[in-house]
Amino acid sequence: MHEPTISFTIHEDKEKQVKEILTAVYDALRQKGYNPINQIVGYILSEDPTYITTYNNARSLIRRIDRDELLQLLVKSYLDD
């Protein structure tokens, strides 16, 4: 017998990737002594990468996420809970 196939949509995969990136960025900021929420909000509002530390490649990671898409996912996540 065949095991059931698990299918994922591209949207679910993208949401998972964004969550992983945000978590890594949050952790890097916290480890460097920053207030991660304030820094991430500053980055989202200004799109200025200097809000994000280069520690653990966090700045490069967050720039992989489209800012509009990030905002959409954050609002969706907030309202879905």
Side-chain angles (χ1 to χ4, degrees):
M1 291 206 158
H2 294 16
E3 294 199 26
T5 302
I6 298 173
S7 64
F8 296 96
T9 65
I10 293 173
H11 185 68
E12 290 171 344
D13 289 345
K14 186 66 174 176
E15 284 185 23
K16 182 180 176 187
Q17 180 185 25
V18 168
K19 184 173 182 172
E20 289 172 356
I21 289 172
L22 271 181
T23 301
V25 169
Y26 181 94
D27 289 344
L29 288 164
R30 187 177 42 76
Q31 289 171 16
K32 291 303 285 181
Y34 295 106
N35 179 322
I37 300 299
N38 288 349
Q39 296 302 114
I40 292 170
V41 168
Y43 170 75
I44 291 170
L45 293 176
S46 69
E47 207 167 9
D48 180 355
T50 60
Y51 277 97
I52 306 301
T53 182
T54 58
Y55 180 71
N56 282 349
N57 209 28
R59 190 176 295 166
S60 294
L61 287 172
I62 201 155
R63 295 184 83 183
R64 293 181 188 172
I65 305 171
D66 177 70
R67 188 172 63 152
D68 291 336
E69 184 177 20
L70 174 58
L71 285 170
Q72 288 175 2
L73 290 173
L74 290 172
V75 170
K76 179 183 178 290
S77 174
Y78 183 81
L79 293 176
D80 282 349
D81 287 346

